Amino acid sequence: MSRTTPHPAGVPPRRRSRRLASLMTACAALGAVLLAPGTAEAAGSTNRDAFENLGQADRAEWMWGIASDTRLSNMSIPGTHDTLSIHGGAWVQTQEDYGDSANTLAAQLDRGIRAIDIRARVSGGGAFTIHHGVKYQNANFDDVLTKAQSFLRQHPTESIVMRLKAECVYGSKSGLTECENDPDSTTPEKVRAIFGDYVRKYPGLFYAPSVSGGSQAAVPTLGEVRGKVVLGSFDNAGADDTYGLKGFNDRKEDHWEPDSVGEKWNYVKGNVNKAITGNANDLYVTYSSASKFPSLSPTLVAGGYWEVRGGVNTEVPAVNYNLMKHLNSSAGRVGIIMTDFPGWGLVNAIIDHNDDNMVKGGQRSIWLVNADKTYSNSQYQGRCMVRGPEFDAGDGGLVTQRPCQSSPPSSHQWTATKPDTFDGKGYFWIKASNGKCLTMPYNNGTAPAAGTQLFWWPCETRWFSGSQMWNVMPTKLATSTGSRPAYYFINNWTGLCLSMDPATASTSGGKVTQDTCPK
């Protein structure tokens, strides 16, 4: 994720290994995303949310929380039709322009797109360039594969489904909008051979059964294709039964020349509804894109138009908006949806339909650090760590948990901070709002066992104050649209983690303890 985001409140940055630093950056970015408008947790409501406005680069890992045994056929996957078509004018361009050399693809992937439609022309007898009809899109197939490979290496939980089409006619072209291969003697067999060269050039990038050329692959599970490009189909290459996935084009909606926007919307809605009620093992692909010269451009079909109603210039939304609203009010798998000019709200609406396949639940030693400086438990949701009752002497007291509050009192607030006089080797104090530290009981110098209740106590500066030193370790917690940052806190002295007592977890004033750290 390229966007710079603040660290979650209450947990400052610290020096870490390169691997942990990378993970922390991702977690922090996701945490900020949850608090930002127009993010993966939000639902779109306007035409602008659905059309030509992919928004922030905050959906690079939405597949993270989906169960690995989920088949691709049982997923809801946002895609783009003619993914790199950003040149050629109103009748050719289909996507928001983020730059040439497949930079537009990279931007789409960061913003949640996971199904792509790549149109290839043979150039020089041995390479693919990217076209939409006769118009070259200032990118080649190496650009596509390089960007896809880079993204998947950075985000190995994700997978990309590719529809590949040999875009040009075989032989000399007969229409003004058709492209012609170079040389024009190119055959489907040659196209397949060139593709094979690319597969070998990028070893491990493609899901091998989908590009073997021997037969179509059975629909894989997400776990089998994480970090891979899956070839869904290889169209116009004489490869209908030898490449891609079985059934990829069997339940497809692609009426691309409708007589009206309303006609196209009815086709789209019908196929989406079939996917919702259909067999989870069957692939459904819906193209919400269309155009018909001279009245319906891709922009008009996707984004609508303006007309005067009652003397007022009024926006009339079209397919993207209607699709977003329909998805926001329904549930269930909707399959792969290929769109022109999608907005963030439409992408989110498709992703939201993966809720049934999300890994749910938390772990009592994993905590959410919230913007209001509260620490809430991921397993016992709605329970926050609090500064409990004082000891008789008043120097310190117990650490307990209570129901989280929308306006938390100071006793519910904590901040991880670097010690001011103690060399903690990168560890932190976790300080209550009264300046006292989260403390492991000294226990006469014997490390206490799991289940021991924690104290709040004046912050120490002696070596045995490792009982107050905590390593802040980032992790992730699955949500309905991917994941959000979470943390576990390891005590420097005991090696055990901040946790909650299961026996008192439902009781106000229940114990906050230490326990075995999550694996």
Side-chain angles (χ1 to χ4, degrees), residues 163-456:
R163 182 262 182 131
L164 179 61
K165 181 185 177 185
E167 180 75 346
C168 301
V169 298
Y170 295 102
S172 298
K173 66 178 184 178
S174 58
L176 292 176
T177 62
E178 293 175 338
C179 61
E180 186 176 26
N181 289 310
D182 174 27
D184 62 10
S185 60
T186 297
T187 63
E189 290 78 15
K190 180 61 176 177
V191 169
R192 297 196 300 273
I194 294 172
F195 178 66
D197 291 339
Y198 281 107
V199 172
R200 288 183 287 275
K201 184 177 179 180
Y202 294 84
L205 176 59
F206 285 93
Y207 174 58
S210 71
V211 296
S212 68
S215 63
Q216 289 183 319
V219 178
T221 64
L222 179 58
E224 292 174 308
V225 298
R226 290 192 195 273
K228 304 284 186 183
V229 174
V230 181
L231 186 66
S233 67
F234 192 0
D235 299 333
N236 195 35
D240 292 349
D241 298 323
T242 55
Y243 285 82
L245 302 180
K246 293 178 181 176
F248 188 83
N249 288 323
D250 288 356
R251 297 164 188 84
K252 177 177 67 176
E253 154 48 36
D254 192 17
H255 286 81
W256 60 276
E257 274 192 315
D259 290 328
S260 68
V261 171
E263 178 186 338
K264 177 60 182 180
W265 165 235
N266 287 334
Y267 282 126
V268 170
K269 182 179 180 180
N271 208 52
V272 167
N273 288 344
K274 288 177 183 177
I276 290 174
T277 60
N279 191 308
N281 293 319
D282 292 337
L283 280 162
Y284 283 82
V285 181
T286 302
Y287 288 82
S288 66
S289 54
S291 64
K292 189 171 184 177
F293 190 81
S295 57
L296 297 177
S297 68
T299 299
L300 189 151
V301 173
Y305 52 94
W306 293 81
E307 68 178 17
V308 177
R309 293 181 176 180
V312 177
N313 199 27
T314 303
E315 186 178 26
V316 181
V319 172
N320 285 16
Y321 175 80
N322 287 327
L323 178 57
M324 180 183 73
K325 297 298 287 184
H326 181 61
L327 294 175
N328 283 345
S329 62
S330 60
R333 177 277 311 257
V334 296
I336 298 170
I337 301 181
M338 310 294 274
T339 60
D340 280 353
F341 301 108
W344 65 263
L346 177 54
V347 173
N348 286 359
I350 298 169
I351 294 173
D352 284 346
H353 279 253
N354 288 291
D355 185 62
D356 290 344
N357 297 315
M358 295 300 301
V359 178
K360 302 298 198 303
Q363 207 265 8
R364 66 175 181 268
S365 295
I366 296 177
W367 296 78
L368 305 175
V369 177
N370 303 307
D372 57 10
K373 298 186 179 181
T374 58
Y375 285 31
S376 58
N377 194 266
S378 68
Q379 179 173 343
Y380 302 108
Q381 296 185 19
R383 315 297 295 192
C384 280
M385 182 170 74
V386 304
R387 189 178 77 243
E390 294 184 358
F391 297 139
D392 291 341
D395 290 337
L398 297 173
V399 177
T400 63
Q401 52 80 19
R402 291 183 177 276
C404 301
Q405 299 183 26
S406 57
S407 298
S410 61
S411 60
H412 287 221
Q413 295 179 316
W414 304 81
T415 303
T417 183
K418 294 297 290 289
D420 49 11
T421 58
F422 176 77
D423 178 14
K425 299 179 181 179
Y427 283 67
F428 288 84
W429 280 331
I430 300 177
K431 299 180 75 170
S433 60
N434 65 356
K436 304 300 173 65
C437 280
L438 182 68
T439 304
M440 194 67 61
Y442 180 56
N443 199 32
N444 292 323
T446 301
T452 301
Q453 186 170 12
L454 304 186
F455 298 164
W456 53 271

Side-chain angles (χ1 to χ4, degrees), residues 19-84:
R19 181 184 69 82
L20 285 176
S22 175
L23 181 56
M24 187 62 131
T25 299
C27 288
L30 286 171
V33 161
L34 292 173
L35 302 174
T39 69
E41 288 288 323
S45 60
T46 69
N47 191 49
R48 181 64 176 152
D49 298 337
F51 172 67
E52 204 175 12
N53 176 24
L54 278 172
Q56 301 176 32
D58 56 15
R59 292 177 291 278
E61 292 190 343
W62 67 260
M63 288 181 170
W64 182 89
I66 295 177
S68 289
D69 60 356
T70 305
R71 295 204 175 276
L72 293 190
S73 58
N74 197 27
M75 290 179 62
S76 301
I77 301 176
T80 46
H81 157 256
D82 244 311
T83 296
L84 294 182

